[in-house]
Amino acid sequence: MELIVATKNKKKLQEIKDILKYRKVKITSLADYPNAPRIIENAKTFKENAIKKAVRIARFTKRLTLGEDSGLCVYALGGKPGVYSSRFSGKNKSDMQNNLKLLTMLKGLPGNKRKAYYACAVALADKDGLIAAVEGRCYGLIGFELKGTSGFGYDPLFIIPEFKKTFAQLGERIKHKMSHRYRALQKAKRFFSKYIECSRIS
Ligand code: ITT
């Protein structure tokens, strides 16, 4: 059995593999399908983008596909960077540049005004269309400086209040048990298991 993860982000792919822990499922990604169509992420919600990724790639490959769209939403910025998280400081800019832009925009804001959440939408589709779409969130605070080296994206700034540490300091063992991606994938797993069960029966 193969599951394509419709992503080009290697760190996101690794997190998905680590969280799903499927031993009998071969997890591939867009790196294995260089001719797959480019998905333009122009929807207003994470869920719509995730559905678009899953449905388009499943239609092209005729295989079970997982689409994932995620990002950071900061209350003081009206939910920004949101669906624009990966290109917050412009196209082809680095995670570091995105983090520095965020710090600049939040300059002068006290700790209690730095509330934020990570959101993750996961969609499953096969050649016949969408199977399910689910979402997960993880709440935290944006720090005053970058801390830690683990993870990717905004992890050096994203503080989990109960630990008073960023995801980048906490490391993957803790992140993968409480992240937005973990929560969305836990919900998606139910649909995935049912799908496998039905494919075995038919
Ligand atoms: P694909 O579209 O190819 O999957 P991408 O990196 O562009 O790759 P998204 O459009 O879903 O993926 O944008 C996700 C961005 O949100 C990501 O690049 C980070 O900036 C941020 N992000 C999402 N999840 C994160 C996490 O777990 N830790 C840190 N930053 C995260």
Side-chain angles (χ1 to χ4, degrees):
M1 177 101 200
E2 178 182 353
L3 173 67
I4 303 173
V5 179
T7 184
K8 286 186 174 153
N9 183 327
K10 286 184 192 155
K11 295 214 169 148
K12 188 197 264 191
L13 176 68
Q14 192 54 52
E15 285 201 1
I16 292 173
K17 283 182 178 174
D18 289 348
I19 294 168
L20 286 176
K21 285 194 202 119
Y22 286 143
R23 269 185 245 126
K24 290 186 181 154
V25 178
K26 185 181 169 204
I27 298 183
T28 57
S29 77
L30 293 181
D32 302 290
Y33 293 89
N35 298 325
R38 198 168 78 86
I39 312 294
I40 297 162
E41 293 174 44
N42 55 1
K44 288 205 176 74
T45 65
F46 296 108
K47 206 177 240 182
E48 283 171 90
N49 276 333
I51 291 173
K52 203 169 174 189
K53 292 179 191 186
V55 170
R56 294 265 168 93
I57 298 302
R59 198 185 293 148
F60 175 79
T61 57
K62 312 230 176 331
R63 276 162 214 221
L64 184 64
T65 303
L66 185 155
E68 194 266 27
D69 200 58
S70 48
L72 177 73
C73 302
V74 181
Y75 289 99
L77 303 179
K80 280 183 188 162
V83 288
Y84 300 103
S85 291
S86 65
R87 0 164 208 163
F88 189 36
S89 54
K91 234 178 144 200
N92 302 322
K93 291 281 170 62
S94 66
D95 285 346
M96 178 57 86
Q97 285 164 308
N98 287 339
N99 280 313
L100 294 179
K101 177 169 179 182
L102 182 60
L103 278 180
T104 306
M105 288 178 81
L106 297 183
K107 207 168 173 185
L109 270 191
N112 62 353
K113 296 260 163 60
R114 301 174 82 95
K115 288 182 185 155
Y117 64 89
Y118 271 138
C120 173
V122 167
L124 269 183
D126 71 0
K127 62 177 176 26
D128 300 318
L130 182 68
I131 298 163
V134 294
E135 276 183 323
R137 282 185 184 184
C138 177
Y139 293 87
L141 294 168
I142 304 301
F144 292 93
E145 57 183 325
L146 288 103
K147 282 188 183 166
T149 52
S150 172
F152 68 102
Y154 299 91
D155 285 345
L157 284 180
F158 193 80
I159 297 173
I160 300 299
E162 78 181 276
F163 293 107
K164 295 191 174 65
K165 283 190 175 166
T166 67
F167 262 155
Q169 289 175 301
L170 289 169
E172 55 199 35
R173 204 173 50 83
I174 295 180
K175 182 182 180 190
H176 297 178
K177 280 196 186 125
M178 62 185 306
S179 74
H180 49 315
R181 191 159 291 109
Y182 167 79
R183 291 186 172 134
L185 287 170
Q186 285 307 103
K187 294 181 191 169
K189 262 179 160 180
R190 286 182 234 144
F191 294 98
F192 189 58
S193 307
K194 259 192 212 151
Y195 185 87
I196 296 176
E197 231 172 79
C198 293
S199 352
R200 281 202 194 116
I201 295 164
S202 59

